Amino acid sequence: MHQNQGGRVFGKHLDNYVDKALKDAKDKRNGIVDEMGGKENAINDAVLTRDGLLKFDCPQQVLQYQQEIYEFLHQREQESSGFQFSIDQRKINEKMRNTTIRFVIKQAKMYNLKSETLFQTVDLIDQSIHHINPEAERLELIAITCLFIATKYEEIYPPPLGALLRGTELRVREVIEMEKEILYKLNFNVISDNTLIWLQLIGELLGCNKRYLDLIKQRSMYLAELSLSNDRFLSMKKSTIALTIFLAVEMQFGYQKTQFQWDRLSQHSKPCKDSKPLRLFAYCLKN
């Protein structure tokens, strides 16, 4: 399971600043040097736990605006029906797409990227497949380019393009040209209401037992990432996927451990235990 373990700093020119931050945070955590020459950034100590999970009382959660944000996203999802498409009429088949997503997940783990970066990358890949309808040999280029775009938007210290191209035969110029094509096709709108956004928002609205908070979040993230690499989830609304994930977690751990407050969801109702998304999750876990 991919977990966000804080930001990463790439490049030797930033070493002096990071060394000072790590020295100040020495009593709380140890510095980590990875194969990219980057060091763990101590800036996120204020909002992240030692395991990389968002602190429960983090001010960045803007609790006072959750209901307004929830209603706004629901209205927008209803108006646009979310981004849903079938891969059946594309040159890329299910196996190619799912293999590509698993490759992106491995890249996210390798460079310790944020969960937001991973989910945004996958959404950009799906939109690129929808709008460009590429040949199979261009899929790797699209995946790297979408990862490059997402890291620049989501990461404080994104990995350099040269690092993302390691192990491939792609050239920098190819990625830059593909980046232009993707951005033009999307009208430079690279932000979407992906599954992670709904998962975080609905999770905060539902509330849960603080004693099992980390365990619940870890299981929820595992199921969310599982949905990324299965094309059958493409036709489902992102809010539906998030709701089903919390239902699956509640069924696994029991109400006493989760204590989800489903009545706080003014725009959604609790999913049925025989719903299609839940059966699909069960099938994915079994296989």
Side-chain angles (χ1 to χ4, degrees):
M1 181 184 68
H2 168 67
Q3 293 182 0
N4 170 25
Q5 296 183 1
R8 294 304 242 190
V9 178
F10 295 87
K12 294 182 178 179
H13 63 289
L14 292 171
D15 278 355
N16 293 335
Y17 298 97
V18 179
D19 286 340
K20 184 179 184 301
L22 289 173
K23 183 178 180 181
D24 295 339
K26 187 176 181 180
D27 294 338
K28 293 187 293 183
R29 66 203 304 186
N30 296 322
I32 301 175
V33 180
D34 62 18
E35 61 179 2
M36 293 301 302
K39 296 183 178 180
E40 189 167 8
N41 182 10
I43 295 175
N44 288 328
D45 281 346
V47 296
L48 297 175
T49 66
R50 186 177 182 83
D51 297 326
L53 299 173
L54 196 64
K55 288 184 177 178
F56 188 79
D57 56 350
C58 172
Q60 277 76 357
Q61 294 185 40
V62 288
L63 301 179
Q64 62 269 35
Y65 301 115
Q66 282 181 353
Q67 190 63 36
E68 288 87 345
I69 295 173
Y70 168 61
E71 293 176 357
F72 170 76
L73 291 181
H74 177 262
Q75 180 180 358
R76 189 163 68 177
E77 185 180 58
Q78 292 296 104
E79 293 173 351
S80 64
S81 298
F83 176 72
Q84 305 160 27
F85 75 96
S86 173
I87 204 170
D88 295 337
Q89 299 178 352
R90 299 291 178 263
K91 298 176 182 178
I92 303 299
N93 59 36
E94 295 88 347
K95 184 177 181 180
M96 296 176 185
R97 188 252 177 203
N98 297 344
T99 300
T100 301
I101 301 306
R102 287 193 290 269
F103 163 75
V104 170
I105 293 176
K106 290 181 179 179
Q107 292 292 99
K109 292 179 180 179
M110 180 185 302
Y111 300 117
N112 195 25
L113 301 178
K114 297 165 59 180
S115 299
E116 288 82 355
T117 303
L118 172 61
F119 281 80
Q120 191 59 51
T121 299
V122 173
D123 195 77
L124 286 173
I125 292 173
D126 289 336
Q127 293 191 61
S128 300
I129 294 175
H130 176 72
H131 290 289
I132 299 176
N133 194 17
E135 300 290 344
E137 56 268 19
R138 300 185 73 196
L139 192 54
E140 181 184 41
L141 174 59
I142 287 178
I144 293 294
T145 304
C146 290
L147 181 61
F148 182 52
I149 295 172
T151 55
K152 289 195 294 183
Y153 191 91
E154 297 287 354
E155 299 290 330
I156 299 177
Y157 303 106
L161 179 56
L164 297 179
L165 294 179
R166 289 183 179 179
T168 73
E169 297 181 357
L170 300 175
R171 298 182 178 180
V172 172
R173 180 177 296 275
E174 294 179 288
V175 176
I176 299 302
E177 292 301 320
M178 177 56 69
E179 181 182 22
K180 294 178 182 178
E181 183 177 355
I182 292 175
L183 292 177
Y184 279 127
K185 290 289 185 180
L186 301 182
N187 196 26
F188 291 86
N189 183 19
V190 299
I191 298 303
S192 61
D193 306 332
N194 56 57
T195 304
L196 180 60
I197 292 177
W198 278 106
L199 193 71
Q200 293 172 334
L201 180 59
I202 292 178
E204 294 299 332
L205 288 172
L206 287 176
C208 60
N209 192 331
K210 293 184 181 181
R211 181 179 178 184
Y212 299 97
L213 181 62
D214 287 352
L215 186 61
I216 292 172
K217 284 188 175 182
Q218 290 175 5
R219 189 58 176 176
S220 299
M221 282 301 301
Y222 174 77
L223 293 175
E225 290 183 13
L226 189 65
S227 70
L228 292 178
S229 58
N230 192 307
D231 60 279
R232 297 184 184 182
F233 287 99
L234 287 174
S235 61
M236 301 178 186
K237 293 181 179 181
K238 307 304 182 184
S239 61
T240 301
I241 298 175
L243 287 167
T244 306
I245 287 174
F246 285 111
L247 175 62
V249 171
E250 184 180 69
M251 292 175 62
Q252 180 182 14
F253 296 118
Y255 175 76
Q256 293 299 325
K257 290 185 178 181
T258 56
Q259 297 180 356
F260 292 146
Q261 302 175 48
W262 294 96
D263 57 332
R264 296 183 62 186
L265 300 178
S266 59
Q267 307 298 324
H268 294 91
S269 58
K270 185 176 180 179
C272 300
K273 293 185 178 180
D274 59 345
S275 62
K276 179 180 177 181
L278 189 60
R279 294 199 304 269
L280 182 54
F281 271 119
Y283 171 81
C284 294
L285 291 171
K286 183 179 180 180
N287 292 274

